[in-house]
């Protein structure tokens, strides 16, 4: 019994963030072909491209919440509510992308470690942040998500126009939010 305890202890300490290793399930493995549903299946490249968008959307929602909790200063209420719009859109689109991946027999991975390791969004600062800085930080992150969508778009469209349509929806809303958020810090052109 002592030997088993030592093994568990060593395993737990080697796990990132002191987490216990996952139990149950089989991890990220494909379903046996004989049990797989029929229909179009995503190539590995399509799955990876959609995964890139997924992790950026998940990270955008998390960073939006971090900003939402810690924003202070002039126009607090408007910024606070605007962040809710960003979070809601990011969560809804993340769900749509992940479910599209599953419909194509790809495996979405939204685990926190995977998101943190693979997102293109820079880390969000800790602590209270002035509304003007939050506006700039969130604009940058919205533009980063749009950039990821644009980077993978052509490859996604070539293999699966339906998934590309989802990227169009993401781009339309994320770029609209970027414009609306960034306008908070802009002055009229002379």
């Amino acid at each position: 019994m002592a030997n088993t305890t030592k093994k568990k202890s060593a395993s737990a300490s080697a796990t990132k963030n002191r987490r216990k290793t996952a139990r149950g399930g089989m991890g990220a493995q494909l379903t046996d072909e004989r049990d797989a549903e029929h229909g179009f299946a995503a190539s590995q490249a399509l799955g990876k491209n959609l995964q890139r968008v997924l992790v950026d959307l998940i990270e955008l929602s998390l960073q939006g919440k971090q900003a939402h909790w810690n924003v202070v200063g002039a126009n607090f209420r408007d910024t606070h509510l605007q962040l809710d719009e960003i979070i809601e859109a990011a969560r809804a689109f993340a769900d749509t992308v992940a479910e599209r991946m599953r419909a194509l027999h790809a495996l979405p991975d939204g685990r926190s470690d995977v998101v943190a390791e693979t997102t293109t969004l820079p880390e969000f600062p800790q602590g209270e942040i002035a509304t003007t800085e939050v506006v700039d930080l969130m604009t940058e992150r919205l533009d980063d998500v749009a950039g990821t969508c644009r980077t993978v778009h052509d490859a996604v469209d070539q293999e699966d126009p339906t998934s590309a349509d989802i990227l169009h929806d993401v781009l339309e809303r994320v770029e609209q939010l970027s414009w609306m958020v960034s306008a908070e810090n802009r002055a009229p052109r002379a």
Side-chain angles (χ1 to χ4, degrees):
M1 181 127 173
N3 192 18
T4 305
T5 305
K6 286 181 184 177
K7 284 182 183 177
K8 284 182 183 177
S9 177
S11 174
S13 66
T15 304
K16 200 175 207 179
N17 297 328
R18 297 187 183 169
R19 291 183 178 180
K20 295 179 183 176
T21 52
R23 294 189 305 156
M26 298 192 51
Q29 296 180 357
L30 297 175
T31 308
D32 289 341
E33 220 174 289
R34 64 180 156 70
D35 295 329
E37 298 88 356
H38 297 287
F40 179 76
S43 69
Q44 191 173 21
L46 177 58
K48 284 182 179 181
N49 283 332
L50 293 174
Q51 176 69 23
R52 290 175 63 186
V53 174
L54 176 62
V55 297
D56 277 3
L57 287 166
I58 292 169
E59 184 67 14
L60 178 63
S61 73
L62 294 171
Q63 290 194 22
K65 220 26 157 167
Q66 181 69 19
H68 176 85
W69 294 323
N70 293 294
V71 66
V72 295
N75 297 321
F76 162 80
R77 182 165 170 72
D78 289 340
T79 305
H80 190 74
L81 294 174
Q82 206 167 34
L83 289 165
D84 276 336
E85 289 181 52
I86 294 168
I87 295 159
E88 182 181 330
R91 286 178 176 170
F93 283 127
D95 192 52
T96 299
V97 170
E99 288 181 357
R100 180 65 184 160
M101 290 174 74
R102 288 304 296 139
L104 301 179
H105 314 292
L107 297 172
D109 194 344
R111 294 174 297 157
S112 58
D113 291 347
V114 172
V115 172
E117 290 171 7
T118 59
T119 186
T120 64
L121 277 61
E123 187 175 326
F124 200 84
Q126 167 61 349
E128 290 185 336
I129 304 174
T131 52
T132 54
E133 188 175 356
V134 165
V135 164
D136 290 342
L137 291 169
M138 292 311 295
T139 299
E140 176 186 8
R141 280 139 182 87
L142 287 160
D143 292 345
D144 288 345
V145 172
T148 298
C149 288
R150 288 186 179 282
T151 297
V152 303
H153 176 272
D154 289 349
V156 169
D157 190 40
Q158 187 173 8
E159 184 172 345
D160 182 34
T162 304
S163 293
D165 287 346
I166 292 169
L167 297 183
H168 297 157
D169 292 342
V170 173
L171 277 166
E172 178 184 18
R173 183 65 174 138
V174 164
E175 289 176 344
Q176 179 189 45
L177 288 166
S178 175
W179 160 60
M180 291 177 151
V181 172
S182 68
E184 292 284 338
N185 284 351
R186 288 194 60 237
R189 291 182 187 160

